[in-house]
Amino acid sequence: MVALSSKFLAFSPLILASVVTAQTFRRLGTCPTLGCVFPPDQADFLPGALFDIRLEVHAPVNGTEAYNGGVPDEKFTFCIQKGKKGKCEDVKKFFKVKEAELEKWEFSYFEDLFARDAGAPSVVNVASKAYRSLTLKESGDYYAKLTYYGRSETVAHWTVREANKKRKAKNVVFFIGDGMTQPMVTAARMIGHKSINGKYQSMMQMDQMEAFGMQMTHSIDTFITDSANSASALYTGHKSSVDAVSVYGDSSPDKFDDPKVETIGELFRRRTGGPVGIVTTAYLADATPACLCSHTRARGQSAPIIYHTLNGKSGMNDLTWDTSCEGPDVFFGGGAEQFIPGPGSWNGTDFYNAFADKGYNVVNTKSAMVKTSNKKKTLGVFSISNLAKWLDRQVYPENLQNQQNSPTGDGSAAVDQPGLKDMAIKAIDILQSRAQKDQGWFLMAEAANIDKMMHALDYDRALGDLLELDDTIRATIAHLDKIGELKDTLIVITADHGHGFDVFGGVDTKYMQAQTGDLKKREAVQPYAGSGASSYQVEGESLASNNTYVVGPQGPNFPVQWDPRYVFAAGMGASPDRREGYDVKKTGPRNPTVRNADGLYVPDPADQPDGFFVTGTLPPSDQAQGVHSLTDVPVYASGPGSEAFRGIYNSIDIFYKIADALALGKESK
Ligand SMILES: *[C@@H]1O[C@H](CO)[C@@H](O)[C@H](O)[C@H]1NC(C)=O
Ligand SMILES: *[C@@H]1O[C@H](CO)[C@@H](O)[C@H](O)[C@H]1NC(C)=O
Ligand SMILES: *[C@@H]1O[C@H](CO)[C@@H](O)[C@H](O)[C@H]1NC(C)=O
Ligand SMILES: [Zn+2]
């Protein structure tokens, strides 16, 4: 934070007096005064990366901030100053753009929970302008100054970081373990790796990466992030708000006019022309895949997100934007409901056809994916909604039967689904064969179900998918080595946020089943000395006569058994009321709650029937599952540029570190 000249700090006393300290609900999180600048104060930029500017002047009609009779100043001015001593130049001259048209709208918000309960929103009138597809090319400090209501000022201090000029990495594989924290990695290590007298006989692949760091996941305006704004931060170098997909959240009702920021996928394509891949075990319009190649204020806009990812436009409000992923070269995941013509697809059109019309191979099964050519762009959609969890695919495959989730929409079960490893390896082959000369390629691969299963308090399934991610990283390294690309590839693994999960002891499930009553059942949970050693790896039988270890049917680095008598006991930082029995759910993903007659989420009596009642901490009216937590999350990296990932930093720094490894920033005067 640099000191601003005193003239910049001179806010109108009238405005200051009206500032409220709302927390739960805010008029606009990034804008405590009545004049809003996006990108807001403290924003960082990569030289040459595209962004939009949105300016808003607010006039609250009523509530504690009511001002100017609810009439917003339409004659606001906006200038930008390079350095502390520079001249503040009008935005049009500074960026050599035309005057933007004045936009006006009204929005409302609740000042606090009392106002919500009383059904009394505060109403705000807005005057606004937006300038689009801009860049700042020279590194240094900038001050963007909005002047409104005569003499009120909002000053945004922007920092354009220095760009690294020499490219270090040719390719990037960016793994995101959605919701993955270090305690989850630790728990996965315990169940997936044999330990003898306190010494692990093998390690996670993540444990063996060259660099380790931690990153802070909080949003721009809240402590707790969702996966949309955290992915936006990782991909764009700009923090944002809950639900925002690679945009800053403005106050307008239009979900497609919010100020966009260029993503690493778009930037990589624009700068190098190289191929970009997206792989996820979630539905393809879900937040983490969506944020790489589309932009909207509302992550729930699934159909426009798919349209936008393919076409580089939202299809709803095509505002000037000079960049896109131009349709990712690889697009693998679930979410067939956005592709099958019908209510979930954009304007009811067949998006398998829309992709095929743009030159894509389209595959719907693992078998077809493995066989398809590596030469063409490829869309792989393998189920309706999220893909199957690793535990169901690999250990309890009968759970894939009797569903109606075939990606063809024919009502059959999607039984031939790939795992993360299958998709990532195929994606690398396609990207490798499509990259020309020294373009290199960029792949984002998300293990989405770690998060989804932690929400459901299904610890076993979450850890199964975490072990699958680790297995995928191991296989990726081996594959890159095989094709001669390992030394040129930066591999980064991180999460977008955490859940408050940790292991605190062991449970004798046999003893618990034999008890009656919650208090007696809880005696089966033992901390410290009673926690024993992990029995997920079979005791005594592990060392075969030929000096190799017996491994389970799922291969090395996974538990030999998922339902030992002695299981781990885990807790969550936040949860609904629920039952806990700690044993693996063999019939499919866990669902801890049901809605009762009063509309409150209460423990599902069918969930963990051998377990005991645990009081939750979340509001029962609207939280059916666990929620995200504040924790910093781990970052692991190997390959050229990986040394930059050591230490503790902010989520947005991941973008700058990857952009630096690829030399995507471009400085000029
Ligand atoms: C503000 O005005 C609107 C519209 O008249 C009304 O519905 C709302 O309850 C008012 N809010 C407050 C906080 O007075
Ligand atoms: C698609 O649907 C949207 C919203 O219903 C509509 O505004 C738009 O005009 C439609 N576009 C086409 C090409 O039909
Ligand atoms: C070692 O012994 C185990 C157990 O008998 C067997 O499954 C495995 O194939 C053997 N491995 C080698 C390399 O011979
Ligand atoms: Zn989540």
Side-chain angles (χ1 to χ4, degrees), residues 340-581:
I340 300 162
S345 75
W346 191 84
N347 285 24
T349 51
D350 184 329
F351 258 68
Y352 290 128
N353 282 345
F355 275 73
D357 288 348
K358 289 223 161 181
Y360 279 75
N361 268 336
V362 178
V363 293
N364 288 131
T365 58
K366 173 182 167 181
S367 320
M369 179 194 79
V370 169
K371 278 196 290 236
T372 200
S373 155
N374 292 331
K375 299 230 154 58
K376 287 172 85 177
K377 285 189 175 184
T378 309
L379 170 71
V381 184
F382 306 105
S383 76
I384 288 173
S385 186
N386 302 311
L387 297 187
K389 312 335 170 220
W390 179 90
L391 197 68
D392 296 310
R393 235 181 38 247
Q394 294 290 336
V395 184
Y396 306 113
E398 59 279 10
N399 295 340
L400 269 58
Q401 309 284 343
N402 303 323
Q403 300 196 47
Q404 290 89 48
N405 61 343
S406 164
T408 62
D410 68 1
S412 64
V415 288
D416 187 7
Q417 298 186 37
L420 186 66
K421 180 165 77 174
D422 310 311
M423 293 192 288
I425 300 299
K426 182 65 180 183
I428 289 171
D429 285 341
I430 293 171
L431 296 171
Q432 179 68 13
S433 95
R434 290 186 58 77
Q436 289 163 24
K437 286 185 238 128
D438 292 327
Q439 281 177 336
W441 42 261
F442 180 93
L443 171 64
M444 189 289 294
E446 183 205 16
N449 290 321
I450 300 171
D451 173 66
K452 295 186 192 303
M453 292 297 96
M454 279 295 170
H455 278 292
L457 314 179
D458 193 329
Y459 318 124
D460 295 299
R461 278 180 178 71
L463 297 184
D465 275 60
L466 197 159
L467 286 167
E468 180 187 39
L469 169 62
D470 199 61
D471 192 41
T472 303
I473 300 163
R474 195 183 304 271
T476 296
I477 291 171
H479 193 67
L480 288 169
D481 197 22
K482 194 175 109 193
I483 63 172
E485 294 290 321
L486 184 59
K487 70 175 184 355
D488 294 323
T489 305
L490 169 65
I491 301 173
V492 180
I493 306 128
T494 190
D496 50 352
H497 61 76
H499 290 255
F501 166 91
D502 205 351
V503 172
F504 62 86
V507 182
D508 181 343
T509 53
K510 187 175 172 189
Y511 184 82
M512 189 186 293
Q513 280 156 22
Q515 310 308 309
T516 45
D518 283 357
L519 292 178
K520 263 320 259 173
K521 282 177 177 291
R522 248 164 72 188
E523 295 299 322
V525 179
Q526 293 289 318
Y528 304 116
S531 65
S534 165
S535 48
Y536 291 82
Q537 301 282 333
V538 184
E539 285 299 327
E541 292 168 26
S542 58
L543 200 58
S545 52
N546 54 22
N547 221 18
T548 57
Y549 294 93
V550 172
V551 297
Q554 283 74 44
N557 311 311
F558 287 97
V560 175
Q561 55 178 356
W562 281 89
D563 60 344
R565 173 174 164 185
Y566 297 98
V567 298
F568 65 82
M572 294 296 279
S575 69
D577 286 358
R578 65 188 193 276
R579 301 178 63 77
E580 281 298 3

